[in-house]
């Protein structure tokens, strides 16, 4: 079976990859973490597009049947460019559209908060999609969070101080739901929740995106959950553009013994 290609700037997309592996345990995957270029959130849209296109074409060349853009910064700035680069025969699944579809159905006409990287928030992607569905939107950029999480600062004093700076003023006290608009943020979801009233529902994209992937990959929408992958272990390959300790640790944490981690040569031929 052809693998699913998944990519992010680093460890954040592993939250999505884990949910996809649980949902489709029989489907092989190739994960690409562009650790040499993270954070994406501070890059220009043009540079994010360039990185995302190159990785997506690489995943296609590795035989992937579909590409999952497990990164909000790339989803909101590079989706069309990625589809153009891989061609119409490869489905590209982003993180924004499935999340907005679920949120706007559950919270129709409600007030919805979004936090994400500067690239995601400044693209206006969530704001456009949610407003179109009749939601009221409050969106703020929380630029230092992804880098701190990538560095291993989850659920400690550093992330606490950053969250206090970003959320401490009560910006989201009156929203009905808060979208974690960066795939790194589920790693500190409990800490984020502690800054919000209990009435605010936190929306983690991982499972929502896994459902969207299952619809595309399974084709007929058959739920594959619970299939015993141990009968025939599936190939899960993890590639990074720079082999970092934090990526190795997180990949191990999310996927345990099955991790096959390798440095990709994608950017080793003089291309920055
Ligand atoms: N996890 C990514 C996102 O969802 C990227 C974070 C970053 O590299 O800035 O936006």
């Amino acid at each position: 079976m052809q693998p699913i290609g998944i990519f992010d700037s680093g460890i954040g997309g592993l939250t999505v990859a884990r949910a996809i592996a649980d949902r489709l345990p029989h489907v092989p995957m190739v994960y690409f973490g562009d650790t040499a270029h993270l954070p994406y959130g501070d890059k220009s849209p043009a540079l994010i597009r360039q990185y995302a296109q190159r990785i997506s074409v690489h995943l296609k060349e590795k035989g992937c049947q579909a590409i999952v853009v497990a990164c909000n910064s790339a989803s909101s700035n590079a989706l069309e460019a990625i589809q153009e680069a891989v061609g119409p025969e490869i489905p590209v699944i982003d993180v924004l559209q499935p999340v907005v579809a679920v949120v706007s159905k559950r919270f129709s006409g409600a007030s919805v908060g979004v936090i994400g990287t500067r690239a995601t928030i400044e693209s206006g992607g969530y704001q456009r999609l949610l407003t179109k569905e009749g939601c009221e939107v409050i969106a703020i950029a929380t630029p230092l969070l992804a880098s701190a999480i990538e560095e291993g600062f989850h659920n400690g004093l550093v992330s606490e101080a950053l969250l206090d700076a970003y959320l401490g003023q009560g910006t989201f006290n009156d929203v009905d739901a808060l979208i974690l608009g960066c795939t790194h943020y589920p790693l500190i979801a409990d800490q984020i929740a502690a800054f919000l009233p209990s009435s605010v529902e936190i929306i983690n994209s991982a499972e929502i995106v896994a459902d969207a992937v299952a619809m595309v990959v399974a084709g007929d929408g058959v739920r594959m959950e619970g299939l015993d992958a141990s009968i025939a272990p599936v190939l899960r390959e993890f590639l990074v553009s720079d082999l970092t300790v934090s990526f190795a640790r997180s990949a191990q944490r999310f996927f345990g013994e099955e991790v096959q981690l390798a440095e990709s040569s994608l950017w080793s031929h003089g291309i920055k």
Side-chain angles (χ1 to χ4, degrees):
M1 184 184 286
Q2 284 177 277
I4 302 173
I6 307 170
F7 78 92
D8 179 40
S9 60
I11 63 171
L14 291 170
T15 58
V16 178
R18 182 67 258 174
I20 294 173
D22 291 341
R23 186 75 171 71
L24 299 166
H26 63 302
V27 181
M29 64 166 64
V30 182
Y31 183 94
F32 195 105
D34 194 8
T35 43
H37 297 126
L38 71 87
Y40 274 12
D42 298 341
K43 305 284 186 300
S44 66
L47 195 55
I48 294 172
R49 277 196 283 277
Q50 193 182 315
Y51 293 152
Q53 281 186 312
R54 196 163 165 83
I55 294 166
S56 302
V57 169
H58 182 60
L59 291 172
K60 178 185 173 180
E61 285 167 358
K62 286 186 74 71
C64 292
Q65 56 164 315
I67 308 287
V68 181
V69 188
C71 170
N72 290 262
S73 308
S75 292
S76 55
N77 286 285
L79 188 58
E80 275 174 30
I82 294 167
Q83 189 72 71
E84 204 174 287
V86 298
E89 70 280 9
I90 305 284
V92 178
I93 299 121
D94 76 311
V95 281
L96 269 71
Q97 293 179 76
V99 167
V100 169
V102 167
V103 168
S104 57
K105 208 181 254 175
R106 289 236 322 264
F107 299 92
S108 171
S111 176
V112 176
V114 186
I115 52 173
T117 67
R118 199 170 272 140
T120 298
I121 301 303
E122 286 180 2
S123 77
Y126 274 111
Q127 296 92 316
R128 253 191 321 275
L129 292 170
L130 286 163
T131 308
K132 213 165 117 198
E133 296 297 331
C135 296
E136 223 176 83
V137 189
I138 302 174
I140 62 166
T142 47
L144 294 175
L145 281 181
S147 300
I149 293 166
E150 188 78 28
E151 269 301 314
F153 291 113
H154 6 105
N155 303 313
L157 291 177
V158 173
S159 47
E160 182 80 12
L162 290 174
L163 287 172
D164 190 32
Y166 293 135
L167 307 179
Q169 302 84 347
T171 311
F172 297 112
N173 278 359
D174 297 321
V175 298
D176 298 286
L178 178 71
I179 296 174
L180 303 185
C182 172
T183 52
H184 280 72
Y185 299 173
L187 288 157
I188 55 165
D190 291 344
Q191 234 180 351
I192 293 172
F195 277 87
L196 303 168
S198 57
S199 56
V200 179
E201 189 165 330
I202 294 199
I203 310 293
N204 171 354
S205 53
E207 262 136 45
I208 297 172
V209 174
D211 280 346
V213 173
M215 293 303 287
V216 172
V217 171
D220 54 5
V222 173
R223 289 188 75 85
M224 298 291 182
E225 220 160 8
L227 272 189
D228 189 0
S230 62
I231 296 166
V234 291
L235 179 73
R236 293 192 183 123
E237 198 182 345
F238 296 83
L239 299 171
V240 284
S241 47
D242 185 29
L243 201 45
T244 59
V245 173
S246 59
F247 190 94
R249 236 186 243 141
S250 294
Q252 193 79 33
R253 170 179 165 191
F254 279 100
F255 286 91
E257 293 310 312
E258 3 162 5
V259 169
Q260 287 183 36
L261 188 56
E263 197 166 69
S264 161
S265 58
L266 189 57
W267 270 280
S268 63
H269 305 294
I271 293 156
K272 299 278 173 234

mmCIF file of all heavy atoms in Angstrom, residues 76-100:
data_model
loop_
_atom_site.group_PDB
_atom_site.id
_atom_site.type_symbol
_atom_site.label_atom_id
_atom_site.label_comp_id
_atom_site.label_asym_id
_atom_site.label_seq_id
_atom_site.Cartn_x
_atom_site.Cartn_y
_atom_site.Cartn_z
ATOM 1 N N SER A 76 -2.091 27.583 5.650
ATOM 2 C CA SER A 76 -2.753 28.864 5.397
ATOM 3 C C SER A 76 -2.008 29.732 4.388
ATOM 4 O O SER A 76 -2.551 30.722 3.919
ATOM 5 C CB SER A 76 -2.960 29.628 6.713
ATOM 6 O OG SER A 76 -1.737 29.786 7.380
ATOM 7 N N ASN A 77 -0.789 29.360 4.059
ATOM 8 C CA ASN A 77 -0.023 30.192 3.116
ATOM 9 C C ASN A 77 0.390 29.470 1.840
ATOM 10 O O ASN A 77 0.854 30.122 0.900
ATOM 11 C CB ASN A 77 1.256 30.707 3.794
ATOM 12 C CG ASN A 77 0.971 31.798 4.794
ATOM 13 O OD1 ASN A 77 0.695 32.926 4.416
ATOM 14 N ND2 ASN A 77 0.992 31.451 6.070
ATOM 15 N N ALA A 78 0.265 28.140 1.809
ATOM 16 C CA ALA A 78 0.880 27.421 0.693
ATOM 17 C C ALA A 78 0.012 26.329 0.073
ATOM 18 O O ALA A 78 0.490 25.580 -0.780
ATOM 19 C CB ALA A 78 2.200 26.793 1.182
ATOM 20 N N LEU A 79 -1.250 26.245 0.492
ATOM 21 C CA LEU A 79 -2.071 25.107 0.050
ATOM 22 C C LEU A 79 -2.187 25.005 -1.476
ATOM 23 O O LEU A 79 -1.950 23.941 -2.060
ATOM 24 C CB LEU A 79 -3.458 25.182 0.698
ATOM 25 C CG LEU A 79 -4.355 23.970 0.476
ATOM 26 C CD1 LEU A 79 -3.689 22.705 1.002
ATOM 27 C CD2 LEU A 79 -5.700 24.175 1.155
ATOM 28 N N GLU A 80 -2.513 26.126 -2.102
ATOM 29 C CA GLU A 80 -2.661 26.105 -3.571
ATOM 30 C C GLU A 80 -1.338 25.783 -4.253
ATOM 31 O O GLU A 80 -1.288 25.026 -5.229
ATOM 32 C CB GLU A 80 -3.155 27.459 -4.071
ATOM 33 C CG GLU A 80 -4.661 27.583 -4.005
ATOM 34 C CD GLU A 80 -5.152 28.968 -4.373
ATOM 35 O OE1 GLU A 80 -4.484 29.634 -5.191
ATOM 36 O OE2 GLU A 80 -6.190 29.373 -3.832
ATOM 37 N N ALA A 81 -0.269 26.363 -3.721
ATOM 38 C CA ALA A 81 1.065 26.140 -4.302
ATOM 39 C C ALA A 81 1.457 24.660 -4.191
ATOM 40 O O ALA A 81 2.065 24.098 -5.109
ATOM 41 C CB ALA A 81 2.086 27.021 -3.589
ATOM 42 N N ILE A 82 1.088 24.043 -3.082
ATOM 43 C CA ILE A 82 1.415 22.623 -2.883
ATOM 44 C C ILE A 82 0.638 21.769 -3.891
ATOM 45 O O ILE A 82 1.187 20.901 -4.557
ATOM 46 C CB ILE A 82 1.070 22.179 -1.433
ATOM 47 C CG1 ILE A 82 1.967 22.886 -0.420
ATOM 48 C CG2 ILE A 82 1.181 20.660 -1.292
ATOM 49 C CD1 ILE A 82 1.505 22.751 1.030
ATOM 50 N N GLN A 83 -0.664 22.054 -4.012
ATOM 51 C CA GLN A 83 -1.496 21.271 -4.942
ATOM 52 C C GLN A 83 -0.988 21.416 -6.368
ATOM 53 O O GLN A 83 -0.926 20.438 -7.127
ATOM 54 C CB GLN A 83 -2.964 21.728 -4.832
ATOM 55 C CG GLN A 83 -3.939 20.845 -5.577
ATOM 56 C CD GLN A 83 -4.154 19.482 -4.911
ATOM 57 O OE1 GLN A 83 -4.775 19.391 -3.869
ATOM 58 N NE2 GLN A 83 -3.624 18.412 -5.507
ATOM 59 N N GLU A 84 -0.599 22.629 -6.693
ATOM 60 C CA GLU A 84 -0.051 22.887 -8.027
ATOM 61 C C GLU A 84 1.238 22.084 -8.240
ATOM 62 O O GLU A 84 1.463 21.516 -9.307
ATOM 63 C CB GLU A 84 0.267 24.382 -8.112
ATOM 64 C CG GLU A 84 0.286 24.960 -9.507
ATOM 65 C CD GLU A 84 0.467 26.466 -9.408
ATOM 66 O OE1 GLU A 84 -0.505 27.143 -9.012
ATOM 67 O OE2 GLU A 84 1.584 26.930 -9.677
ATOM 68 N N ALA A 85 2.071 22.021 -7.202
ATOM 69 C CA ALA A 85 3.370 21.351 -7.332
ATOM 70 C C ALA A 85 3.214 19.823 -7.471
ATOM 71 O O ALA A 85 3.972 19.200 -8.214
ATOM 72 C CB ALA A 85 4.247 21.670 -6.121
ATOM 73 N N VAL A 86 2.260 19.234 -6.770
ATOM 74 C CA VAL A 86 2.139 17.763 -6.812
ATOM 75 C C VAL A 86 1.164 17.281 -7.886
ATOM 76 O O VAL A 86 1.122 16.094 -8.206
ATOM 77 C CB VAL A 86 1.746 17.160 -5.433
ATOM 78 C CG1 VAL A 86 2.814 17.445 -4.400
ATOM 79 C CG2 VAL A 86 0.379 17.644 -4.972
ATOM 80 N N GLY A 87 0.388 18.207 -8.417
ATOM 81 C CA GLY A 87 -0.562 17.834 -9.468
ATOM 82 C C GLY A 87 -1.882 17.346 -8.910
ATOM 83 O O GLY A 87 -1.978 16.974 -7.735
ATOM 84 N N PRO A 88 -2.911 17.328 -9.771
ATOM 85 C CA PRO A 88 -4.266 17.032 -9.297
ATOM 86 C C PRO A 88 -4.487 15.580 -8.850
ATOM 87 O O PRO A 88 -5.440 15.286 -8.137
ATOM 88 C CB PRO A 88 -5.136 17.355 -10.518
ATOM 89 C CG PRO A 88 -4.210 17.299 -11.678
ATOM 90 C CD PRO A 88 -2.842 17.665 -11.184
ATOM 91 N N GLU A 89 -3.584 14.674 -9.262
ATOM 92 C CA GLU A 89 -3.812 13.260 -8.907
ATOM 93 C C GLU A 89 -3.465 12.944 -7.454
ATOM 94 O O GLU A 89 -3.843 11.884 -6.935
ATOM 95 C CB GLU A 89 -3.066 12.334 -9.888
ATOM 96 C CG GLU A 89 -1.550 12.306 -9.791
ATOM 97 C CD GLU A 89 -0.820 13.482 -10.469
ATOM 98 O OE1 GLU A 89 -1.484 14.448 -10.899
ATOM 99 O OE2 GLU A 89 0.415 13.436 -10.533
ATOM 100 N N ILE A 90 -2.758 13.851 -6.777
ATOM 101 C CA ILE A 90 -2.413 13.607 -5.365
ATOM 102 C C ILE A 90 -3.292 14.488 -4.481
ATOM 103 O O ILE A 90 -3.184 15.720 -4.515
ATOM 104 C CB ILE A 90 -0.926 13.953 -5.074
ATOM 105 C CG1 ILE A 90 0.028 13.212 -6.006
ATOM 106 C CG2 ILE A 90 -0.574 13.709 -3.601
ATOM 107 C CD1 ILE A 90 0.247 11.762 -5.694
ATOM 108 N N PRO A 91 -4.171 13.888 -3.676
ATOM 109 C CA PRO A 91 -4.970 14.722 -2.769
ATOM 110 C C PRO A 91 -4.105 15.384 -1.699
ATOM 111 O O PRO A 91 -3.213 14.744 -1.151
ATOM 112 C CB PRO A 91 -5.957 13.731 -2.128
ATOM 113 C CG PRO A 91 -5.617 12.383 -2.629
ATOM 114 C CD PRO A 91 -4.478 12.465 -3.582
ATOM 115 N N VAL A 92 -4.373 16.658 -1.468
ATOM 116 C CA VAL A 92 -3.645 17.395 -0.426
ATOM 117 C C VAL A 92 -4.652 17.771 0.662
ATOM 118 O O VAL A 92 -5.668 18.409 0.381
ATOM 119 C CB VAL A 92 -2.987 18.670 -1.012
ATOM 120 C CG1 VAL A 92 -2.272 19.460 0.096
ATOM 121 C CG2 VAL A 92 -1.995 18.310 -2.124
ATOM 122 N N ILE A 93 -4.370 17.338 1.886
ATOM 123 C CA ILE A 93 -5.292 17.622 3.002
ATOM 124 C C ILE A 93 -4.625 18.643 3.923
ATOM 125 O O ILE A 93 -3.525 18.402 4.423
ATOM 126 C CB ILE A 93 -5.626 16.330 3.784
ATOM 127 C CG1 ILE A 93 -6.317 15.343 2.844
ATOM 128 C CG2 ILE A 93 -6.523 16.617 4.991
ATOM 129 C CD1 ILE A 93 -5.634 14.054 2.692
ATOM 130 N N ASP A 94 -5.280 19.766 4.120
ATOM 131 C CA ASP A 94 -4.710 20.798 4.993
ATOM 132 C C ASP A 94 -5.337 20.689 6.378
ATOM 133 O O ASP A 94 -6.215 19.851 6.607
ATOM 134 C CB ASP A 94 -4.952 22.188 4.395
ATOM 135 C CG ASP A 94 -6.392 22.634 4.588
ATOM 136 O OD1 ASP A 94 -7.313 21.853 4.273
ATOM 137 O OD2 ASP A 94 -6.599 23.763 5.071
ATOM 138 N N VAL A 95 -4.876 21.540 7.312
ATOM 139 C CA VAL A 95 -5.463 21.474 8.652
ATOM 140 C C VAL A 95 -6.595 22.475 8.880
ATOM 141 O O VAL A 95 -7.448 22.251 9.732
ATOM 142 C CB VAL A 95 -4.400 21.623 9.780
ATOM 143 C CG1 VAL A 95 -3.665 20.337 10.009
ATOM 144 C CG2 VAL A 95 -3.414 22.727 9.517
ATOM 145 N N LEU A 96 -6.637 23.553 8.100
ATOM 146 C CA LEU A 96 -7.647 24.575 8.374
ATOM 147 C C LEU A 96 -9.065 24.146 8.005
ATOM 148 O O LEU A 96 -9.995 24.266 8.801
ATOM 149 C CB LEU A 96 -7.318 25.874 7.607
ATOM 150 C CG LEU A 96 -6.460 26.907 8.335
ATOM 151 C CD1 LEU A 96 -5.039 26.409 8.471
ATOM 152 C CD2 LEU A 96 -6.485 28.246 7.631
ATOM 153 N N GLN A 97 -9.212 23.643 6.773
ATOM 154 C CA GLN A 97 -10.579 23.394 6.279
ATOM 155 C C GLN A 97 -11.349 22.343 7.089
ATOM 156 O O GLN A 97 -12.502 22.578 7.442
ATOM 157 C CB GLN A 97 -10.536 23.050 4.798
ATOM 158 C CG GLN A 97 -10.097 24.265 3.980
ATOM 159 C CD GLN A 97 -10.022 23.981 2.494
ATOM 160 O OE1 GLN A 97 -11.033 23.909 1.822
ATOM 161 N NE2 GLN A 97 -8.813 23.810 1.992
ATOM 162 N N PRO A 98 -10.716 21.186 7.411
ATOM 163 C CA PRO A 98 -11.464 20.217 8.222
ATOM 164 C C PRO A 98 -11.849 20.774 9.591
ATOM 165 O O PRO A 98 -12.959 20.532 10.079
ATOM 166 C CB PRO A 98 -10.482 19.046 8.384
ATOM 167 C CG PRO A 98 -9.449 19.215 7.338
ATOM 168 C CD PRO A 98 -9.384 20.679 7.024
ATOM 169 N N VAL A 99 -10.946 21.564 10.205
ATOM 170 C CA VAL A 99 -11.231 22.126 11.532
ATOM 171 C C VAL A 99 -12.379 23.130 11.449
ATOM 172 O O VAL A 99 -13.322 23.093 12.252
ATOM 173 C CB VAL A 99 -9.952 22.781 12.131
ATOM 174 C CG1 VAL A 99 -10.282 23.635 13.343
ATOM 175 C CG2 VAL A 99 -8.939 21.710 12.500
ATOM 176 N N VAL A 100 -12.332 24.003 10.452
ATOM 177 C CA VAL A 100 -13.395 25.005 10.312
ATOM 178 C C VAL A 100 -14.739 24.315 10.025
ATOM 179 O O VAL A 100 -15.779 24.717 10.554
ATOM 180 C CB VAL A 100 -13.048 26.034 9.214
ATOM 181 C CG1 VAL A 100 -14.249 26.897 8.869
ATOM 182 C CG2 VAL A 100 -11.882 26.906 9.673
#
